[in-house]
Amino acid sequence: MAAILAALGEAKTVLDVGAGTGSYEPADRPVYAVEPSSEMIGQRDKDAPPVVRAVAEALPIRDYAVDAVLAVLTVHHWTNWRQGIAELKRVAAQQVVLAYDTRLHSEFWFVREYVPEIAELEMSRPSAPDIAEELGADCMIPLPLPWNFTDGVFPAYWRRPEAYLTVRDTCSALAQAPRAAVERGLTKLQADLDDGTWRQRHADLLELDEYDAGFRLIVSR
């Protein structure tokens, strides 16, 4: 969140696109939200900024109506991501997008060793470098994950493998992968945890405090 606030800088008004529950919306300035899912909208706090149900590809916002637009881990869910990026550029002079390098996600140990089918899904999605190029971004800032990261994004448990046995329906990568493949992979992971294979194979990870899973903060002004 600190990195997002720094990237937003002095922007006085912000549009949060693909806002979800509003977890990364700044509290120190006016924010407006766009979210297509009524289920996610229903989970927003009663004091959260106002939200409109709409998609990124057709934002119901005037040209340059806000100072900055924010999109956090949402571009890979869009039906037409390039059209969505064009909309971000239309409604604000500044764009801050949190995305990830799909190649690094595909090389993550859980994918490589347990559910390789996830790699096909990841590689079909827009990657952070592609998004940065489409935006004409000024910079792309790496955001390594601390070992105890509290946001449950897919690679968040890189040093806590036991968590993958219980979060299968809360990570989109697991929820959207073939169910049989996920079950097979989790069964194998459970066995590797029980006999110590995982810890022996990944002893180097247990020595790290943070890990680069490919998350990038893309900033364009």
Side-chain angles (χ1 to χ4, degrees), residues 40-215:
M40 297 297 283
I41 290 174
Q43 296 178 44
R44 292 175 65 85
D45 189 84
K46 62 181 178 61
D47 297 322
V51 61
V52 170
R53 189 178 181 193
V55 296
E57 295 89 339
L59 295 174
I61 308 292
R62 292 183 292 105
D63 294 1
Y64 299 108
V66 291
D67 294 325
V69 63
L70 175 66
V72 177
L73 296 179
T74 177
V75 176
H76 61 280
H77 291 302
W78 298 352
T79 302
N80 185 332
W81 71 271
R82 286 188 171 85
Q83 183 176 332
I85 293 296
E87 282 287 87
L88 300 190
K89 296 167 73 173
R90 178 183 67 81
V91 302
Q94 179 182 356
Q95 300 84 35
V96 177
V97 177
L98 178 56
Y100 60 87
D101 187 319
T102 55
R103 179 184 57 83
L104 290 180
H105 260 47
S106 299
E107 294 172 356
F108 180 45
W109 62 258
F110 184 92
V111 177
R112 188 177 65 250
E113 298 169 17
Y114 298 101
V115 189
E117 290 84 353
I118 292 176
E120 183 177 354
L121 169 65
E122 295 291 11
M123 296 307 292
S124 71
R125 292 171 161 176
S127 191
D130 301 323
I131 296 168
E133 182 177 2
E134 192 75 14
L135 272 174
D138 298 291
C139 62
M140 189 165 59
I141 305 166
L143 296 179
L145 296 177
W147 75 268
N148 58 351
F149 194 48
T150 55
D151 186 323
V153 291
F154 172 48
Y157 310 103
W158 59 270
R159 212 182 88 174
R160 297 169 288 168
E162 298 84 358
Y164 288 107
L165 303 174
T166 58
V167 300
R168 68 186 72 182
D169 293 322
T170 61
C171 296
S172 63
L174 292 177
Q176 295 175 12
R179 193 72 181 182
V182 174
E183 294 293 343
R184 181 204 65 224
L186 293 177
T187 298
K188 185 173 186 292
L189 174 60
Q190 179 71 77
D192 286 352
L193 290 172
D194 290 343
D195 66 12
T197 297
W198 188 92
R199 293 187 178 279
Q200 181 177 10
R201 184 186 299 145
H202 297 291
D204 57 329
L205 290 181
L206 299 176
E207 301 297 322
L208 300 178
D209 291 326
E210 61 181 23
Y211 170 78
D212 185 4
F215 290 101

